[in-house]
Amino acid sequence: FYHMDLYGSEERFDIFPEQLSGQEHRPLGEMKQESASSSEKFQSSQAAGYDLEKEVAELAKMYGIDEDREKELELLGGHLVMAGSRWPPAHTSKAGFQDSVYNATKSSSLVEDKSTKQQGLPGKGSQDEDQSKTRAEDEPESPVFSREILGSGSMSDEWNSQAVSEEEEAADVFCSTCKMPIRAFDKLFGEHKDHEVAQLPSAIESEKEEIHKNMCKLEEQIAQMENFASHLEEIFITVEENFGRQEQNFEIHYNDAVQVLAQKYEEQLEALGEEKRQKLEVLYGQLVSCGEHLDTCKELTDTTQELCRENDKANFMKTLVSYNYRLEEFLKKEVDLELSTVPDFEERVIDFSEVEQLMNSINAIAAPCAPVISPQAPNAATGTSLRVCWGLFSDDTVECYQLCYKPVSNENHSNEQAEHMLKVKETYCTITDLLPNTQYEFWVSALNASGISPPSERAVYVTAPSPPTIKTKMMRSCENAAMVCWESSDINPVDSYVVELSKLTDEENGDNITESIVGIPNCEVLIHLQPVQSYHICVRAVNLGGTSERSEPVLIHTTGTYFCLNEDTAHPLLAILGDGFTIACDELENPECDLPVYDNSFTRCIGILGSLIPFPGKHYWEVEVEEDTEYRIGVAFENTPRHSYLGANNSSWCMRHIITPSRHKYEFLHSGMTPDIRLTIPPRRIGILLDYENSRLSFFNADIAQHLYTFNSQFQHYVHPCFALETPAILQIHTGIATPPWAVL
């Protein structure tokens, strides 16, 4: 309906040009000439002794202007003197300006004469006074010039037009009250004195921003109207189809219906006539009986009157006795004053069953219009269900709705997905047994006795993700932080993750969420915690459909440093036992055997790396060994050579124990170098303290709290704990231990 190129182009925002069109083509030399000419005129007026400030002060004093007005006039005089290019006005001719100067000079002379006269000083003589009076009669008095200075509006029409033109050209501020550009002069002394003003450039930018906002709103309205127009097109098509179908049905059944109605009409009209005849016969018989009764009453009345005129008393009494007997007998008869029939006719029930059958065969109810399916509402999805809503924006009769859906086809799957259909009475439905984090297409049609509506537009809904799985073996923590890693069990990617923390106390069981970290894009996060605490941590996945259920919680203690062993780095002859912190080597083969190895595993040294310790500060763990075990323990960078021995390069630091025929030998190796250190007590439980801040790696005999050796080295990166066995033996690692006081150097 609308062509959108106009609204999609960037030119729609270029409403205001950078420069006025009248100034774009003026040469710079011409502008400089005008400025120089104006400056010369102003200098020549000053050279002629024209003191504007003095003249304004004298006029203000002469006409009794108050002190506040005098201050404004002083400011005005200063403003006009500073704005030399505005005085005289640019559009005022030289002759006009000379006339103004002449009037001002004449006014000044009049003031001097009056002053001389009042003070009794000798003036220019009576001749000068007469000349002054003659000029005063022929010409306007000096207040004319003062009104010109004060802008009271008594100037000529030409001067007014020139002043208005100058005001329009010299406008440099914007009146926010009147919504028009004005001069700064008008703000000080004009009608805009009490109005709110702003700088003209800032006002222009503000109006541009307002128009830009309105243009964006206009585009939104256009998009809405286009969508509505598309819906109207569907309604138009449906109306045309329904009309054609109904017209055909009426044409087929019209004659039958009219014939049946005519027959029913004749039957009912004949029955109504018979009822009328019977009513009239009964009423006629009752009317005849009523007439006879009236005649008897009239006869008795006449007899009574004749009897009353009888003069003979004997005859009167004889006749009266028999007459009274007759009259009493007549009055004893009951008079039937009730109608023998009612004027209303019997309400007849017409049998329209046959007509109804014909009418039912005509589809008088139009097929409904297409429903409008609603977008997915927030929190309307779970991992396996979706709540879909729609509406019917018409008065059509609907018996039920037909909801269809199918999974959105993936680019990797060329096969068409199977469609599912449900019939529901309401305008909503909850679909279950769906796949987590999966998009589904939904469309709906309305049904009644006349048929089915066109389908609605298709809407895409997405189910919530399934709960992530926390990798407990990859979790690391220390006294004030923890690194939590997890994996998603969904095939499709999710938008983000939420990590929820529950601090465990004696009163609480950990169900209360004490902190939530939202908007995590990756499958790991570094969390800052409080020392010597216990936390339950769980993870949720988030997508457009909503939030998943919580993952299985994991327990984290901040009493010390926790890390795990990285199985991918283990030598093929090295085994990790069930607890995950005990390594063993029970093979006697050559370490450089042909066993399969991973790309990241050690090939020469029977060693393994622990997970990275990415937390600044101090970290402490212990290693328990047998007295006759030969081993290497320490730390190493991620890129330490896997074909080399620990401590034989510049990327690893370790303590080595070997047994010689003469003694137990302990070496502290880095780049293959070791100091000469002899230990009298072989350590069975070795404490290792890694201090990132002070760049130290220290070894201790934890059983007797003895310091063995300290490497002072600048760690450029975070390091991994490393462990190796040189003979078949078992080595056990202990993590989560608080740093002993004696280990802090």
Side-chain angles (χ1 to χ4, degrees):
F1 282 80
Y2 300 97
H3 187 62
M4 290 301 296
D5 290 345
L6 173 63
Y7 306 101
S9 61
E10 296 181 355
E11 286 77 4
R12 68 181 189 276
F13 299 115
D14 299 336
I15 299 175
F16 300 100
E18 295 295 333
Q19 297 180 351
L20 296 176
S21 58
Q23 297 179 355
E24 289 179 353
H25 303 290
R26 295 183 61 186
L28 182 61
E30 182 180 344
M31 296 174 66
K32 290 183 177 180
Q33 272 186 341
E34 290 181 3
S35 177
S37 174
S38 177
S39 178
E40 288 177 2
K41 289 181 180 180
F42 178 68
Q43 291 176 0
S44 62
S45 65
Q46 285 185 338
Y50 185 79
D51 192 347
L52 179 61
E53 294 185 11
K54 182 178 180 181
E55 186 69 25
V56 170
E58 292 178 356
L59 292 175
K61 183 177 181 181
M62 182 173 66
Y63 288 98
I65 302 176
D66 56 5
E67 295 181 357
D68 295 337
R69 192 62 177 171
E70 288 179 4
K71 292 180 180 179
E72 293 181 358
L73 290 173
E74 290 176 3
L75 295 174
L76 174 61
H79 176 72
L80 293 175
V81 170
M82 292 174 65
S85 60
R86 297 187 182 180
W87 187 268
H91 298 283
T92 305
S93 62
K94 183 176 180 180
F97 179 71
Q98 290 176 353
D99 292 341
S100 299
V101 174
Y102 171 74
N103 290 333
T105 307
K106 179 183 67 175
S107 175
S108 177
S109 64
L110 287 175
V111 173
E112 290 176 359
D113 291 343
K114 290 180 181 180
S115 176
T116 305
K117 209 170 187 181
Q118 291 173 358
Q119 295 177 5
L121 298 176
K124 294 183 180 180
S126 61
Q127 184 177 0
D128 295 338
E129 293 178 1
D130 295 337
Q131 293 177 357
S132 301
K133 290 179 180 180
T134 304
R135 287 195 301 269
E137 293 175 357
D138 296 338
E139 299 178 359
E141 296 181 355
S142 59
V144 173
F145 180 73
S146 66
R147 287 196 297 269
E148 290 177 359
I149 295 297
L150 298 176
S152 62
S154 62
M155 298 177 293
S156 63
D157 295 339
E158 181 180 0
W159 174 263
N160 285 333
S161 62
Q162 291 172 353
V164 171
S165 176
E166 176 190 1
E167 180 180 359
E168 293 177 354
E169 291 186 1
D172 50 2
V173 295
F174 182 78
C175 179
S176 302
T177 305
C178 300
K179 301 296 184 182
M180 61 181 294
I182 62 173
R183 298 181 299 173
F185 177 86
D186 295 331
K187 167 60 180 173
L188 296 176
F189 307 104
E191 60 182 356
H192 306 279
K193 180 177 180 181
D194 298 328
H195 294 178
E196 182 180 355
V197 299
Q199 294 295 327
L200 194 58
S202 61
I204 292 175
E205 292 298 327
S206 177
E207 292 298 325
K208 285 183 179 180
E209 293 178 0
E210 188 67 24
I211 289 182
H212 175 72
K213 293 179 181 178
N214 293 334
M215 288 291 293
C216 294
K217 293 180 180 178
L218 184 61
E219 289 181 0
E220 294 178 359
Q221 292 185 3
I222 290 173
Q224 293 176 357
M225 293 305 298
E226 285 182 344
N227 294 334
F228 182 69
S230 300
H231 183 62
L232 288 179
E233 284 184 349
E234 296 179 358
I235 301 299
F236 270 103
I237 295 173
T238 304
V239 169
E240 290 291 343
E241 293 177 352
N242 293 338
F243 173 77
R245 183 165 54 251
Q246 294 304 320
E247 184 181 21
Q248 184 180 5
N249 291 335
F250 279 123
E251 185 178 357
I252 293 174
H253 298 86
Y254 174 75
N255 293 331
D256 295 339
V258 170
Q259 185 178 357
V260 172
L261 288 174
Q263 183 180 354
K264 295 292 182 182
Y265 171 77
E266 293 295 337
E267 293 176 356
Q268 294 298 326
L269 186 62
E270 183 179 354
L272 189 63
E274 180 64 23
E275 185 179 358
K276 172 187 174 183
R277 186 184 64 80
Q278 294 176 359
K279 285 180 179 292
L280 292 178
E281 289 179 354
V282 173
L283 289 174
Y284 179 76
Q286 192 175 11
L287 183 62
V288 171
S289 176
C290 182
E292 294 176 352
H293 190 80
L294 286 174
D295 291 341
T296 303
C297 291
K298 185 176 180 181
E299 180 186 356
L300 291 174
T301 302
D302 293 341
T303 303
T304 302
Q305 291 178 354
E306 291 178 359
L307 184 62
C308 291
R309 289 193 297 268
E310 181 67 36
N311 295 326
D312 189 356
K313 295 181 179 180
N315 291 331
F316 175 77
M317 290 302 297
K318 291 179 181 179
T319 306
L320 181 62
V321 172
S322 60
Y323 179 77
N324 284 335
Y325 177 76
R326 181 186 174 188
L327 184 61
E328 288 176 357
E329 290 296 327
F330 178 78
L331 293 175
K332 287 180 180 179
K333 294 181 180 179
E334 293 182 0
V335 180
D336 186 10
L337 299 179
E338 297 292 335
L339 292 174
S340 59
T341 184
V342 293
D344 297 333
F345 285 82
E346 180 183 355
E347 184 177 354
R348 299 180 179 274
V349 178
I350 304 176
D351 184 13
F352 284 106
S353 59
E354 188 176 354
V355 179
E356 288 178 356
Q357 291 178 359
L358 292 174
M359 295 300 295
N360 291 334
S361 64
I362 303 174
N363 294 328
I365 301 175
C369 300
V372 178
I373 195 164
S374 304
Q376 184 172 358
N379 301 321
T382 65
T384 57
S385 66
L386 284 170
R387 180 182 174 88
V388 184
C389 301
W390 59 88
L392 188 68
F393 299 97
S394 65
D395 296 331
D396 297 338
T397 302
V398 177
E399 296 179 0
C400 64
Y401 294 94
Q402 180 176 289
L403 178 64
C404 301
Y405 67 95
K406 67 175 183 177
V408 175
S409 299
N410 195 346
E411 296 179 356
N412 300 329
H413 298 84
S414 58
N415 297 333
E416 186 68 20
Q417 299 290 338
E419 295 184 2
H420 304 272
M421 184 183 69
L422 296 173
K423 287 190 176 181
V424 294
K425 295 286 186 180
E426 297 81 9
T427 57
Y428 60 88
C429 182
T430 301
I431 299 93
T432 58
D433 298 330
L434 302 178
L435 298 176
N437 196 31
T438 304
Q439 292 182 338
Y440 289 86
E441 271 185 325
F442 289 90
W443 63 97
V444 63
S445 301
L447 291 86
N448 61 13
S450 299
I452 184 171
S453 73
S456 66
E457 294 185 358
R458 301 196 175 195
V460 177
Y461 281 51
V462 59
T463 53
S466 55
T469 302
I470 298 178
K471 300 179 180 180
T472 56
K473 292 185 177 181
M474 297 184 62
M475 289 186 57
R476 291 148 285 173
S477 65
C478 63
E479 293 182 353
N480 52 16
M483 177 70 75
V484 183
C485 303
W486 60 88
E487 61 182 358
S488 175
S489 55
D490 298 318
I491 300 176
N492 300 321
V494 300
D495 295 339
S496 62
Y497 295 93
V498 177
V499 175
E500 298 177 346
L501 287 76
S502 302
K503 184 187 293 186
L504 301 181
T505 61
D506 296 337
E507 296 80 9
E508 300 177 357
N509 56 4
D511 292 335
N512 297 326
I513 304 300
T514 58
E515 183 180 355
S516 295
I517 304 173
V518 301
I520 303 172
N522 303 319
C523 290
E524 65 177 14
V525 64
L526 178 63
I527 308 171
H528 295 282
L529 304 174
Q530 297 178 1
V532 196
Q533 298 291 338
S534 297
Y535 294 88
H536 266 154
I537 296 180
C538 55
V539 183
R540 296 177 185 262
V542 181
N543 66 0
L544 293 176
T547 305
S548 71
E549 299 294 330
R550 294 181 185 176
S551 65
E552 289 294 329
V554 295
L555 182 62
I556 289 182
H557 302 282
T558 57
T559 54
T561 300
Y562 288 86
F563 58 85
C564 301
L565 297 178
N566 190 350
E567 297 181 7
D568 294 340
T569 62
H571 189 276
L573 298 179
L574 198 66
I576 302 177
L577 302 185
D579 61 354
F581 292 96
T582 302
I583 60 175
C585 176
D586 54 2
E587 298 287 340
L588 300 177
E589 301 179 9
N590 184 0
E592 299 183 8
C593 59
D594 296 332
L595 293 176
V597 295
Y598 297 102
D599 294 337
N600 198 30
S601 61
F602 286 94
T603 59
R604 190 172 184 181
C605 177
I606 307 177
I608 188 173
L609 294 181
S611 53
L612 186 71
I613 301 179
F615 316 112
K618 297 180 175 63
H619 306 279
Y620 180 82
W621 64 93
E622 294 180 352
V623 178
E624 186 175 353
V625 295
E626 296 293 335
E627 186 176 349
D628 57 348
T629 301
E630 296 185 358
Y631 56 84
R632 295 172 187 251
I633 56 175
V635 297
F637 288 141
E638 172 69 28
N639 60 353
T640 187
R642 302 297 192 263
H643 60 276
S644 177
Y645 287 100
L646 296 176
N649 47 63
N650 59 358
S651 59
S652 59
W653 298 258
C654 72
M655 171 184 174
R656 182 190 183 193
H657 171 238
I658 58 175
I659 301 175
T660 64
S662 59
R663 62 185 178 90
H664 291 266
K665 184 177 181 181
Y666 294 91
E667 298 176 342
F668 296 91
L669 296 170
H670 176 63
S671 299
M673 304 295 293
T674 178
D676 186 11
I677 296 178
R678 295 175 180 266
L679 301 182
T680 58
I681 302 176
R684 299 284 302 274
R685 192 178 183 96
I686 304 166
I688 302 174
L689 177 63
L690 173 63
D691 188 352
Y692 278 124
E693 296 178 355
N694 297 315
S695 301
R696 293 177 180 175
L697 177 66
S698 302
F699 296 88
F700 302 90
N701 186 342
D703 292 331
I704 60 175
Q706 179 187 15
H707 173 252
L708 302 179
Y709 183 75
T710 296
F711 289 101
N712 291 293
S713 179
Q714 190 70 30
F715 299 111
Q716 300 177 354
H717 310 284
Y718 290 122
V719 296
H720 296 255
C722 59
F723 313 91
L725 291 172
E726 298 190 356
T727 58
I730 294 177
L731 184 145
Q732 190 172 5
I733 304 162
H734 300 276
T735 61
I737 303 173
T739 304
W742 45 262
V744 181
L745 300 178

Short mmCIF file of all heavy atoms in Angstrom, two decimals, residues 500-533:
data_model
loop_
_atom_site.label_atom_id
_atom_site.label_comp_id
_atom_site.label_asym_id
_atom_site.label_seq_id
_atom_site.Cartn_x
_atom_site.Cartn_y
_atom_site.Cartn_z
N GLU A 500 22.64 -18.93 40.03
CA GLU A 500 21.99 -18.59 41.29
C GLU A 500 22.78 -19.18 42.45
O GLU A 500 23.16 -20.36 42.42
CB GLU A 500 20.56 -19.13 41.31
CG GLU A 500 19.68 -18.51 40.23
CD GLU A 500 18.29 -19.10 40.20
OE1 GLU A 500 18.08 -20.16 40.82
OE2 GLU A 500 17.43 -18.50 39.55
N LEU A 501 23.02 -18.35 43.47
CA LEU A 501 23.80 -18.75 44.63
C LEU A 501 22.92 -18.77 45.87
O LEU A 501 22.08 -17.88 46.06
CB LEU A 501 24.96 -17.78 44.87
CG LEU A 501 26.16 -17.82 43.92
CD1 LEU A 501 25.84 -17.15 42.59
CD2 LEU A 501 27.35 -17.11 44.55
N SER A 502 23.11 -19.78 46.69
CA SER A 502 22.42 -19.88 47.97
C SER A 502 23.47 -20.11 49.06
O SER A 502 24.17 -21.13 49.05
CB SER A 502 21.42 -21.03 47.97
OG SER A 502 20.48 -20.88 46.93
N LYS A 503 23.59 -19.16 49.97
CA LYS A 503 24.54 -19.31 51.06
C LYS A 503 23.94 -20.21 52.13
O LYS A 503 22.80 -20.02 52.56
CB LYS A 503 24.88 -17.94 51.65
CG LYS A 503 25.96 -18.01 52.74
CD LYS A 503 26.14 -16.66 53.40
CE LYS A 503 26.72 -15.64 52.45
NZ LYS A 503 27.03 -14.36 53.14
N LEU A 504 24.69 -21.18 52.54
CA LEU A 504 24.23 -22.13 53.55
C LEU A 504 24.61 -21.63 54.93
O LEU A 504 25.76 -21.29 55.19
CB LEU A 504 24.85 -23.51 53.31
CG LEU A 504 24.57 -24.16 51.95
CD1 LEU A 504 25.23 -25.53 51.88
CD2 LEU A 504 23.09 -24.28 51.71
N THR A 505 23.61 -21.58 55.83
CA THR A 505 23.84 -21.20 57.22
C THR A 505 23.20 -22.25 58.11
O THR A 505 22.56 -23.20 57.66
CB THR A 505 23.25 -19.82 57.51
OG1 THR A 505 21.82 -19.87 57.28
CG2 THR A 505 23.85 -18.75 56.61
N ASP A 506 23.33 -22.05 59.40
CA ASP A 506 22.74 -22.99 60.35
C ASP A 506 21.22 -22.93 60.33
O ASP A 506 20.54 -23.93 60.56
CB ASP A 506 23.25 -22.71 61.77
CG ASP A 506 24.75 -22.94 61.88
OD1 ASP A 506 25.28 -23.70 61.05
OD2 ASP A 506 25.37 -22.33 62.77
N GLU A 507 20.67 -21.72 60.05
CA GLU A 507 19.22 -21.57 60.07
C GLU A 507 18.59 -21.92 58.74
O GLU A 507 17.42 -22.29 58.66
CB GLU A 507 18.84 -20.13 60.43
CG GLU A 507 19.26 -19.70 61.83
CD GLU A 507 20.73 -19.31 61.90
OE1 GLU A 507 21.33 -19.22 60.82
OE2 GLU A 507 21.24 -19.12 63.02
N GLU A 508 19.33 -21.79 57.63
CA GLU A 508 18.76 -21.98 56.31
C GLU A 508 19.29 -23.26 55.69
O GLU A 508 20.39 -23.73 56.00
CB GLU A 508 19.08 -20.78 55.41
CG GLU A 508 18.53 -19.45 55.95
CD GLU A 508 18.95 -18.30 55.07
OE1 GLU A 508 19.70 -18.55 54.11
OE2 GLU A 508 18.53 -17.16 55.35
N ASN A 509 18.49 -23.81 54.80
CA ASN A 509 18.89 -25.05 54.13
C ASN A 509 19.38 -24.83 52.71
O ASN A 509 19.59 -25.78 51.97
CB ASN A 509 17.71 -26.03 54.12
CG ASN A 509 16.47 -25.42 53.46
OD1 ASN A 509 16.53 -24.29 52.95
ND2 ASN A 509 15.37 -26.15 53.48
N GLY A 510 19.51 -23.57 52.30
CA GLY A 510 20.08 -23.29 50.98
C GLY A 510 19.06 -23.11 49.89
O GLY A 510 19.42 -22.92 48.74
N ASP A 511 17.73 -23.14 50.20
CA ASP A 511 16.72 -22.94 49.18
C ASP A 511 16.52 -21.48 48.82
O ASP A 511 15.97 -21.15 47.78
CB ASP A 511 15.38 -23.54 49.64
CG ASP A 511 15.46 -25.06 49.73
OD1 ASP A 511 16.32 -25.63 49.02
OD2 ASP A 511 14.69 -25.65 50.50
N ASN A 512 16.93 -20.57 49.68
CA ASN A 512 16.76 -19.14 49.43
C ASN A 512 17.91 -18.63 48.56
O ASN A 512 19.08 -18.81 48.90
CB ASN A 512 16.70 -18.36 50.74
CG ASN A 512 15.50 -18.76 51.58
OD1 ASN A 512 14.45 -19.08 51.03
ND2 ASN A 512 15.67 -18.75 52.89
N ILE A 513 17.56 -17.99 47.47
CA ILE A 513 18.55 -17.44 46.55
C ILE A 513 19.07 -16.13 47.14
O ILE A 513 18.30 -15.20 47.38
CB ILE A 513 17.95 -17.22 45.15
CG1 ILE A 513 17.36 -18.53 44.61
CG2 ILE A 513 19.00 -16.67 44.20
CD1 ILE A 513 18.37 -19.64 44.47
N THR A 514 20.35 -16.07 47.38
CA THR A 514 20.94 -14.86 47.94
C THR A 514 21.54 -13.97 46.87
O THR A 514 21.74 -12.79 47.10
CB THR A 514 22.02 -15.23 48.97
OG1 THR A 514 23.02 -16.05 48.31
CG2 THR A 514 21.42 -16.00 50.12
N GLU A 515 21.84 -14.52 45.69
CA GLU A 515 22.43 -13.71 44.62
C GLU A 515 22.20 -14.41 43.29
O GLU A 515 22.22 -15.64 43.20
CB GLU A 515 23.94 -13.52 44.86
CG GLU A 515 24.61 -12.63 43.83
CD GLU A 515 26.10 -12.45 44.10
OE1 GLU A 515 26.56 -12.97 45.14
OE2 GLU A 515 26.78 -11.82 43.28
N SER A 516 21.95 -13.61 42.25
CA SER A 516 21.78 -14.13 40.89
C SER A 516 22.67 -13.33 39.95
O SER A 516 22.71 -12.10 40.03
CB SER A 516 20.32 -14.04 40.44
OG SER A 516 19.50 -14.88 41.22
N ILE A 517 23.35 -14.04 39.08
CA ILE A 517 24.20 -13.41 38.07
C ILE A 517 23.56 -13.70 36.72
O ILE A 517 23.44 -14.86 36.32
CB ILE A 517 25.63 -13.96 38.13
CG1 ILE A 517 26.21 -13.79 39.54
CG2 ILE A 517 26.53 -13.27 37.11
CD1 ILE A 517 27.55 -14.46 39.74
N VAL A 518 23.14 -12.65 36.02
CA VAL A 518 22.38 -12.82 34.78
C VAL A 518 23.23 -12.40 33.58
O VAL A 518 24.26 -11.74 33.72
CB VAL A 518 21.08 -11.99 34.83
CG1 VAL A 518 20.22 -12.43 36.00
CG2 VAL A 518 21.38 -10.50 34.95
N GLY A 519 22.73 -12.76 32.40
CA GLY A 519 23.37 -12.34 31.15
C GLY A 519 24.72 -12.96 30.89
O GLY A 519 25.59 -12.31 30.28
N ILE A 520 24.96 -14.19 31.33
CA ILE A 520 26.25 -14.85 31.11
C ILE A 520 26.24 -15.47 29.72
O ILE A 520 25.42 -16.35 29.44
CB ILE A 520 26.51 -15.91 32.19
CG1 ILE A 520 26.44 -15.27 33.58
CG2 ILE A 520 27.84 -16.60 31.97
CD1 ILE A 520 26.49 -16.27 34.70
N PRO A 521 27.12 -15.06 28.81
CA PRO A 521 27.03 -15.57 27.43
C PRO A 521 27.66 -16.94 27.24
O PRO A 521 27.27 -17.67 26.32
CB PRO A 521 27.78 -14.50 26.63
CG PRO A 521 28.77 -13.93 27.59
CD PRO A 521 28.13 -14.00 28.95
N ASN A 522 28.64 -17.30 28.07
CA ASN A 522 29.37 -18.54 27.87
C ASN A 522 28.99 -19.57 28.93
O ASN A 522 28.18 -19.30 29.82
CB ASN A 522 30.89 -18.28 27.92
CG ASN A 522 31.30 -17.24 26.88
OD1 ASN A 522 30.81 -17.25 25.76
ND2 ASN A 522 32.20 -16.34 27.27
N CYS A 523 29.62 -20.73 28.85
CA CYS A 523 29.30 -21.82 29.77
C CYS A 523 30.25 -21.86 30.96
O CYS A 523 30.55 -22.95 31.49
CB CYS A 523 29.33 -23.16 29.02
SG CYS A 523 27.98 -23.36 27.87
N GLU A 524 30.76 -20.72 31.37
CA GLU A 524 31.56 -20.65 32.58
C GLU A 524 31.51 -19.23 33.11
O GLU A 524 31.27 -18.27 32.37
CB GLU A 524 33.01 -21.08 32.33
CG GLU A 524 33.79 -20.16 31.41
CD GLU A 524 35.24 -20.60 31.27
OE1 GLU A 524 35.55 -21.72 31.68
OE2 GLU A 524 36.04 -19.80 30.78
N VAL A 525 31.73 -19.10 34.41
CA VAL A 525 31.69 -17.78 35.03
C VAL A 525 32.57 -17.80 36.27
O VAL A 525 32.67 -18.82 36.96
CB VAL A 525 30.24 -17.39 35.39
CG1 VAL A 525 29.66 -18.32 36.44
CG2 VAL A 525 30.16 -15.95 35.87
N LEU A 526 33.21 -16.68 36.53
CA LEU A 526 34.02 -16.49 37.73
C LEU A 526 33.18 -15.72 38.74
O LEU A 526 32.73 -14.60 38.47
CB LEU A 526 35.30 -15.72 37.40
CG LEU A 526 36.23 -15.40 38.58
CD1 LEU A 526 36.75 -16.69 39.20
CD2 LEU A 526 37.39 -14.52 38.12
N ILE A 527 32.95 -16.31 39.91
CA ILE A 527 32.07 -15.74 40.92
C ILE A 527 32.90 -15.35 42.13
O ILE A 527 33.71 -16.14 42.61
CB ILE A 527 30.98 -16.74 41.34
CG1 ILE A 527 30.25 -17.30 40.12
CG2 ILE A 527 29.99 -16.11 42.29
CD1 ILE A 527 29.32 -18.44 40.45
N HIS A 528 32.68 -14.15 42.62
CA HIS A 528 33.35 -13.69 43.85
C HIS A 528 32.49 -14.08 45.05
O HIS A 528 31.30 -13.78 45.11
CB HIS A 528 33.56 -12.18 43.80
CG HIS A 528 34.51 -11.75 42.72
ND1 HIS A 528 35.88 -11.86 42.84
CD2 HIS A 528 34.27 -11.25 41.49
CE1 HIS A 528 36.46 -11.42 41.74
NE2 HIS A 528 35.50 -11.05 40.90
N LEU A 529 33.12 -14.74 46.03
CA LEU A 529 32.42 -15.26 47.19
C LEU A 529 33.07 -14.75 48.47
O LEU A 529 34.11 -14.09 48.44
CB LEU A 529 32.44 -16.80 47.17
CG LEU A 529 31.87 -17.46 45.90
CD1 LEU A 529 32.08 -18.96 45.96
CD2 LEU A 529 30.40 -17.13 45.74
N GLN A 530 32.44 -15.07 49.58
CA GLN A 530 32.97 -14.70 50.89
C GLN A 530 33.76 -15.86 51.47
O GLN A 530 33.39 -17.02 51.29
CB GLN A 530 31.83 -14.32 51.83
CG GLN A 530 31.03 -13.11 51.37
CD GLN A 530 29.88 -12.79 52.30
OE1 GLN A 530 29.69 -13.47 53.31
NE2 GLN A 530 29.11 -11.77 51.96
N PRO A 531 34.84 -15.58 52.16
CA PRO A 531 35.67 -16.66 52.72
C PRO A 531 34.93 -17.46 53.79
O PRO A 531 34.01 -16.96 54.45
CB PRO A 531 36.89 -15.92 53.30
CG PRO A 531 36.86 -14.57 52.66
CD PRO A 531 35.44 -14.25 52.40
N VAL A 532 35.36 -18.69 53.93
CA VAL A 532 34.89 -19.61 54.98
C VAL A 532 33.36 -19.69 54.96
O VAL A 532 32.69 -19.49 55.98
CB VAL A 532 35.40 -19.20 56.38
CG1 VAL A 532 35.24 -20.35 57.36
CG2 VAL A 532 36.86 -18.76 56.32
N GLN A 533 32.82 -19.94 53.80
CA GLN A 533 31.38 -20.09 53.64
C GLN A 533 31.10 -21.31 52.77
O GLN A 533 32.00 -21.83 52.10
CB GLN A 533 30.75 -18.85 53.00
CG GLN A 533 30.89 -17.56 53.81
CD GLN A 533 30.07 -17.57 55.07
OE1 GLN A 533 29.09 -18.31 55.19
NE2 GLN A 533 30.47 -16.76 56.05
#
